[in-house]
Amino acid sequence: MSKTTIPAGGITDGTLTSAKLDQDGAFTFNEDSADVDFRVESNGNANMLFVSGGNDVVGIGAEGDLGVGLHIKTGDSGASVNTDAEELVIETSSGSGGMSILSATDGTGDIYFGDSGNNASGYIQYNHASNFMRFAVNGASEKMRMASDGGLLIGKTSNSA
C-alpha cells in the first residue's frame, strides 16, 4: 500500500475532512491547511492533546487557548499570556504552577538563550555535582554564581580571599 487518502469532505459525518496514511506509517491530518481541529481523548479528559488548526496552538490537558505554540493547562488561571513569551505556556488554576528540569546527580540543568549569531548568548545553569547555580551573559561568559553555601559571587567563580 503506497498511501490511502481521504479527500476533502470525505467522511460523511463531517468529522474528518482530509487525511493521508503513507506506507511508512506517517499519518497527516489537515493536509489542505483548513481550519480543522484535532484532539485525542484520555480516560477522563476530552482534550488530553488538542491541536487548533485555525489558531496554530497545541494544548496538552485542555484546549489550547493562550499564545501561539504549546499550552500545557491543568486548570484555568484566568490570566492572559504576554505576547513576548507565548510560545510555551504552563497554566494551572491551583496556587502554584511550574516546570521541572530533572538531571543526573553529576549533570547540569540548563536554560539557554540564543540568537542567529550565537546559540548560547546567555544561560542559567544548575550544577548538581557541586550544587551551585550560574548565570551567564554576553556570549555565555559566566558573570554571577550562587554558591552551595548561599554566597553570591559576582564576576568570580570562587570565594577566595
Side-chain angles (χ1 to χ4, degrees), residues 145 153 156-160:
R145 179 180 292 204
L153 309 171
K156 57 185 179 176
T157 60
S158 68
N159 215 358
S160 59

Side-chain angles (χ1 to χ4, degrees), residues 72-160:
I72 302 169
K73 184 174 182 177
T74 59
D76 192 349
S77 68
S80 60
V81 68
N82 183 308
T83 57
D84 288 337
E86 65 183 350
E87 291 75 22
L88 173 61
V89 178
I90 301 171
E91 181 179 13
T92 181
S93 60
S94 66
S96 301
M99 174 178 72
S100 296
I101 299 174
L102 306 174
S103 311
T105 57
D106 61 349
T108 62
D110 307 278
I111 300 174
Y112 275 80
F113 305 90
D115 55 43
S116 62
N118 184 348
N119 66 357
S121 297
Y123 65 86
I124 301 169
Q125 179 186 76
Y126 185 82
N127 182 302
H128 292 279
S130 299
N131 294 311
F132 65 82
M133 184 171 286
R134 74 171 101 200
F135 301 84
V137 296
N138 195 17
S141 172
E142 182 179 339
K143 301 296 183 190
M144 185 171 69
R145 179 180 292 204
M146 184 178 297
S148 61
D149 64 1
L152 186 61
L153 309 171
I154 299 175
K156 57 185 179 176
T157 60
S158 68
N159 215 358
S160 59

Side-chain angles (χ1 to χ4, degrees), residues 7 30-32 40 42 50 64 68 84 94 98 111 150-151 155 157:
N30 196 19
E31 185 176 40
D32 297 330
V40 175
S42 68
F50 185 89
V68 290
D84 288 337
S94 66
I111 300 174
T157 60

